[in-house]
Amino acid sequence: LSVPLSICLAQIGMQQFARVFLRLRTVWPVGNAISIAVIAFYVVLGVASFWLPYRIATPLAAASVFLSISWILTVTLVAFRRGDRSALLFLLAWGMFLLGTGMFTALAFGLLPKSFLTVYGVQIGSALEMLLLSIALSYRYAVLRNENERIVRRAKLQLESQVLERTSELRTALEQLETAHARLREASRHDPLTGLYNRAWFRERFESLLEAARTQGQPLSLLMIDLDHFKVINDRHGHLVGDDCLRRCAHVIDGILRTHGALVARYGGEEFIAALPGIDIFHARELAEEICTRLREGPIRTRGPGVLVTASIGVHAVDTGVGHEGAATDMALQVVDNALYAAKSGGRDQVRVARG
C-alpha cells in the first residue's frame, strides 16, 4: 500500500517545489495551472490507492512518473527561456534525481537490468540533487538579495527625488505666500483711490519719524491740506469727477513733497497730511505755498469738465521734546488741524502757520 502512496507523495512534492522555485505563477501562469492539475491528479491517485488493487495502483503510479518528469523538464526550460537563470541549476539538480527515478521506474517495468545504479538510482540521484539544489538555492538567494538591494536603492532615489520635489514645491508656495502677504500688507497701508498712504499707516510711521527727529535733533514739520469747497464739486459734477479731482490733487501734492522725503497720506475725505522730516517751519511754509500755487494755476482735467480746485493748508513745526510719542502725535495733529481751520476761516486758498 505504501509503494503507490509514496510515489504520489513524492510527485506532489516535486511538482510543488518546481512550481514555487520557478515562480510559475509569475513566469508562466498557464504552466502554473497545469502543475496544480498534475498535483491534484496525484492527490486523487494517492487517496484512491487505499482501495485500488496493488496490481493496478502501483503500475499506474509508476507509469505517471514519466509524465511528471517530462512536465518538470518542460516548465524548467520555459522558465529558463523567460530569463530565470537559476532554472539551469534547478534543471541540473532535478536531472540527477529524475535520472535515478527514471532508472528505478524502468527497472520496475523490466526495461533495464538490475544493477547497483538501477537499484539505488533514486538514492544516488537524491544525494546529487540535494547538493546541486543547495547551489541553486544559494544562487537564487543571491539574485533575490541583489534585486532587493536594487529595489531599495531605486526606492531611496525616488524618495529623495520626491522629497526634493516636495521641498521645492513647498519653498515655492512659501515664497508665493510671502509675496502675497507682502502685497497684502503693502495694500493695507495705501488709500485705494489716491494711492497715498492711509491715515492709520501715517500715524504709525509718524511716531517713528518723531522719535528719529528727537534722537537726531532734527526739525520735523507737518502740513494739513484740505481741498476747498469739495462738497460743492461733488454735488455739481458728481462723485466720479470728484474722485478724479482727488487723484489729480494727490498726484500734485505727492509730486512736490516726495523729493523732500515727505510722508504723504490721505487723512480722510478731501484732507491730506504730510510729515516733513528735516524740514524747518520756513521751508515747510514755502512748500505749502507751492502746493497752493500749483493747484490754482488751472482747472484739473477730469472725465467731465475741467474743475478749478484750491486748497487751505495748515503748517506746524512739531515740538519733538513734548511727552511720549503717542501724546506728542496727538498734540501735533491737533495743532496743525487748528492751523488748517484758521486758513479756512481766513478765506481759504491760503497757508497758515500754527502759533506757539
Side-chain angles (χ1 to χ4, degrees), residues 234-250:
N234 280 330
D235 293 341
R236 181 177 300 172
H237 303 289
H239 288 280
L240 293 179
V241 172
D243 289 346
D244 287 342
C245 291
L246 282 173
R247 279 191 288 266
R248 293 297 300 167
C249 291

Side-chain angles (χ1 to χ4, degrees), residues 35-64:
S35 293
I36 293 176
V38 173
I39 292 172
F41 166 77
Y42 280 111
V43 170
V44 172
L45 181 60
V47 173
S49 65
F50 285 96
W51 293 278
L52 289 175
Y54 177 82
R55 57 186 174 81
I56 297 177
T58 300
L60 180 60
S64 66

Side-chain angles (χ1 to χ4, degrees), residues 256-274:
I256 294 173
L257 300 181
R258 180 179 292 273
T259 57
H260 299 279
L263 175 65
V264 185
R266 184 183 179 189
Y267 199 65
E270 65 273 16
E271 288 186 343
F272 302 92
I273 191 166

Side-chain angles (χ1 to χ4, degrees), residues 8 10 60 63 76 81 92 108 118 123 144 158 170 183-184 236 240 242 249 263 272 278 280 293 296:
C8 290
L60 180 60
T76 305
R81 291 186 61 183
L92 184 61
T118 56
Q123 289 82 354
L144 293 176
Q158 291 177 346
L170 180 60
R183 290 177 179 174
L184 181 62
R236 181 177 300 172
L240 293 179
C249 291
L263 175 65
F272 302 92
D280 58 26
T293 302
R296 75 167 72 97

Side-chain angles (χ1 to χ4, degrees), residues 2-24:
S2 65
V3 172
L5 181 61
S6 298
I7 292 174
C8 290
L9 292 175
Q11 297 307 311
I12 290 172
M14 290 166 60
Q15 292 291 335
Q16 177 64 12
F17 186 87
R19 190 176 70 87
V20 174
F21 184 88
L22 297 174
R23 296 178 297 177
L24 290 183

Side-chain angles (χ1 to χ4, degrees), residues 110-175:
L111 301 177
L112 289 177
K114 189 174 182 180
S115 66
F116 179 81
L117 289 178
T118 56
V119 173
Y120 296 101
V122 175
Q123 289 82 354
I124 296 172
S126 296
L128 293 174
E129 175 208 15
M130 298 305 295
L131 176 63
L132 293 173
L133 274 183
S134 297
I135 299 174
L137 289 172
S138 298
Y139 178 81
R140 168 58 60 82
Y141 172 77
V143 170
L144 293 176
R145 182 186 60 190
N146 293 336
E147 183 178 359
N148 182 67
E149 291 176 353
R150 180 181 59 82
I151 293 173
V152 169
R153 284 195 302 269
R154 184 175 63 184
K156 184 178 179 181
L157 291 175
Q158 291 177 346
L159 180 61
E160 291 176 352
S161 176
Q162 290 176 354
V163 168
L164 290 175
E165 183 179 354
R166 296 296 181 271
T167 302
S168 177
E169 291 176 355
L170 180 60
R171 185 181 298 112
T172 301
L174 289 176
E175 291 174 354

Side-chain angles (χ1 to χ4, degrees), residues 221-223 256-257 276 279-293 313-317 350-355:
S221 299
L222 267 180
L223 302 183
I256 294 173
L257 300 181
L276 301 166
I279 303 296
D280 58 26
I281 191 66
F282 303 104
H283 193 186
R285 177 164 187 164
E286 291 176 356
L287 292 174
E289 295 286 0
E290 183 179 352
I291 292 172
C292 287
T293 302
I313 304 177
V315 182
H316 171 52
Q350 59 181 283
V351 176
R352 287 292 179 91
V353 179
R355 298 183 179 275

